[in-house]
Amino acid sequence: MIRCVSCGEKYNNDEIIYTCGNCGSVLELVNDLNIPKETFENRKDTLWKYKELIPVREDKIVTIGEGGTPFCKCDKLGDELDIDLYVKVEGSNPTGSFKDRGMTVGMTKAMELGVDTVGCASTGNTSASLAAYAARAGLRCVVFLPSGKVALGKLAQAMFHGAEVISINGNFDEALEAMTSLALEKYLYLLNSINPYRLEGQKTIGYEIVQDLGWSSPDRIILPVGNAGNISAIWKGISEFYEMGYMDSKAMMTGIQAEGACPITKAFRKKAMDIVPFENPETVATAIRIGSPVSYTKALNAIYDSNGYSETVSDDEILAAQKLLAQKEGIGVEPASAASIAGLMKLREEGIVDKGEQVVCVVTGHVLKDPNTAIEACTEPVEVDANIKKLKELLLNK
Ligand SMILES: *Cc1c(COP(=O)(O)O)cnc(C)c1O
Ligand SMILES: [Zn+2]
């Protein structure tokens, strides 16, 4: 069953619907929750090991092997901050971001429904993922990107997998509005995260974290928030496992936004349920350069219901955290992902994150997604002849 998160109106699973026909709010899937947790042990480590909790047909699955990502204990950084820190490395998914979790499920639903064209608006990673999964499924793929604001690696992927890439003169929010209109007129099947099937895939980040910790929830999960689908999805995953009695507590959901694109944090500070959109969102973290997050209702519910938090970080803080994670722990992430680490450092300083807390930071995309930003953060290599004497001089003088 599909249900409206605001008014509770119910819809059939096979209805092609993105928002509530009654009140216009966002939708979610309601699943049967009575599976013993042992079902999920000793299975191949992809998100499809949770197939009993993912409401699509098994014979239609479109997969490239998503989920089962590294869960790294980060003691160097954790000790400095006096916490028990883990990082969930979503850049290890097939196209290099967590979007693949949503896309494998969304594309499977597209095959079930028998559509011929899929589409999305994207800050980059959704289009890279959609293009790959559409290629695998053999469907036509159309993507709208905000002109000039998509990181190089993501653009390369979308084009290389054969999507029809259209550059929109406008920001992400405008591109999404245009794409949504086309979907409502049934030109294509929309695979942005407003599509509730996407979140059924992404909720498995929450599942995996709990299983990674031996059927226990961390105290807190910190992640970057853009369109706000992922924080909503992870909270759904945590809540479903909790309802089935797999663990006895739930994580505080903590969403980090960039200062130049932070409508959710602003709403949180006012304890509001509504957001005021940013007309001209701006940040180096292009994946979260979003002024009007479609899943804000779900995200704010997640933060309030979990006794969580929301904070902003500056671009400088994001870039510093990106470098720190790369050079202290060997984990290379794109700028948006580093917002979780930057946010953790700030919240620890503010005393919101307590000493000794068990914290999981979700790092959402791979460093190679945005090679230009990575190169800009470094000094150029020294150029020298392959002469041993010169090389020795150079290395000894360091
Ligand atoms: C999509 C994306 C986000 C933001 O996720 P939302 O679900 O839009 O909040 C953060 N980081 C990366 C790398 C992304 O691709
Ligand atoms: Zn409704």
Side-chain angles (χ1 to χ4, degrees):
M1 175 183 58
I2 297 173
R3 184 174 66 190
C4 171
V5 304
S6 295
C7 76
E9 184 79 9
K10 290 171 185 149
Y11 302 90
N12 179 299
N13 275 22
D14 282 334
E15 231 171 298
I16 297 186
I17 185 169
Y18 308 106
T19 51
C20 178
N22 186 38
C23 77
S25 190
V26 283
L27 306 171
E28 67 178 359
L29 280 134
V30 182
N31 304 314
D32 278 343
L33 298 175
N34 51 8
I35 315 276
K37 66 176 189 282
E38 291 70 26
T39 312
F40 309 120
E41 280 167 354
N42 307 313
R43 281 185 174 175
K44 187 165 178 239
D45 199 9
T46 80
L47 66 80
W48 289 106
K49 75 178 172 190
Y50 303 113
K51 63 184 181 189
E52 285 84 356
L53 298 170
I54 301 174
V56 288
R57 271 171 51 186
E58 200 178 343
D59 62 327
K60 294 286 185 186
I61 290 175
V62 182
T63 179
I64 324 178
E66 44 293 313
T69 52
F71 187 66
C72 296
K73 192 164 188 351
C74 288
D75 282 338
K76 275 183 268 177
L77 201 49
D79 287 351
E80 256 173 43
L81 296 170
D82 241 325
I83 57 165
D84 185 19
L85 177 63
Y86 295 82
V87 170
K88 184 74 171 154
V89 187
E90 289 298 296
S92 293
N93 279 295
T95 76
S97 84
F98 75 83
K99 299 300 198 299
D100 295 339
R101 292 181 186 265
M103 222 46 91
T104 181
V105 177
M107 195 62 69
T108 298
K109 190 66 197 177
M111 295 306 278
E112 253 185 52
L113 294 167
V115 304
D116 55 17
T117 305
V118 291
C120 73
S122 176
T123 59
N125 281 329
T126 304
S127 65
S129 184
L130 183 67
Y133 284 84
R136 192 143 173 93
L139 300 186
R140 185 179 174 198
C141 173
V142 181
V143 308
F144 290 177
L145 302 176
S147 175
K149 294 292 183 180
V150 174
L152 202 62
K154 308 176 188 184
L155 185 60
Q157 287 177 296
M159 296 194 299
F160 201 65
H161 286 296
E164 294 164 47
V165 177
I166 296 172
S167 199
I168 300 285
N169 294 317
N171 60 32
F172 167 81
D173 304 281
E174 291 162 319
L176 179 58
E177 203 180 311
M179 180 55 74
T180 306
S181 301
L182 292 178
L184 291 175
E185 290 183 34
K186 305 232 184 315
Y187 279 90
L188 44 82
Y189 184 57
L190 181 66
L191 278 171
N192 277 97
S193 59
I194 186 104
N195 183 323
Y197 284 95
R198 280 272 313 275
L199 303 194
E200 289 302 292
Q202 290 172 209
K203 74 182 179 184
T204 60
I205 297 175
Y207 288 178
E208 284 182 17
I209 289 171
V210 170
Q211 197 170 349
D212 285 333
L213 287 170
W215 303 111
S216 147
S217 173
D219 296 317
R220 187 183 298 275
I221 296 175
I222 307 184
L223 71 156
V225 173
N227 218 12
N230 209 31
I231 190 169
S232 312
I234 295 175
W235 177 238
K236 188 170 195 276
I238 294 285
S239 301
E240 288 181 350
F241 268 19
Y242 180 80
E243 264 179 56
M244 288 186 287
Y246 292 4
M247 73 284 199
D248 52 20
S249 66
K250 292 192 272 188
M252 293 177 275
M253 299 303 299
T254 302
I256 309 300
Q257 296 208 284
E259 273 172 10
C262 63
I264 302 250
T265 308
K266 286 205 158 163
F268 170 76
R269 286 176 184 154
K270 290 187 295 191
K271 297 280 168 269
M273 263 322 293
D274 275 318
I275 56 158
V276 180
F278 276 50
E279 293 296 330
N280 298 300
E282 211 42 85
T283 167
V284 67
T286 51
I288 52 173
R289 184 176 169 270
I290 293 175
S292 185
V294 298
S295 294
Y296 71 87
T297 303
K298 288 181 182 179
L300 287 167
N301 278 337
I303 292 168
Y304 295 138
D305 292 352
S306 69
N307 195 25
Y309 206 81
S310 185
E311 183 56 281
T312 61
V313 288
S314 69
D315 281 1
D316 285 346
E317 289 168 326
I318 287 173
L319 294 175
Q322 185 194 16
K323 206 165 191 179
L324 186 72
L325 189 64
Q327 303 195 347
K328 209 180 256 300
E329 299 287 359
I331 299 171
V333 304
E334 66 168 281
S337 315
S340 61
I341 302 291
L344 165 65
M345 290 163 65
K346 189 162 177 181
L347 293 178
R348 184 70 192 98
E349 208 171 285
E350 289 172 355
I352 302 293
V353 173
D354 277 337
K355 184 178 164 172
E357 256 188 40
Q358 187 177 61
V359 177
V360 176
C361 284
V362 179
V363 291
T364 43
H366 199 280
V367 64
L368 291 177
K369 289 287 195 169
D370 189 352
N372 295 336
T373 303
I375 288 171
E376 271 166 36
C378 303
T379 52
E380 275 188 39
V382 189
E383 215 171 308
V384 60
D385 296 332
N387 172 304
I388 298 300
K389 187 162 165 278
K390 279 190 192 163
L391 287 166
K392 278 186 185 163
E393 268 171 29
L394 193 70
L395 294 177
L396 292 175
N397 283 341
K398 273 262 162 165

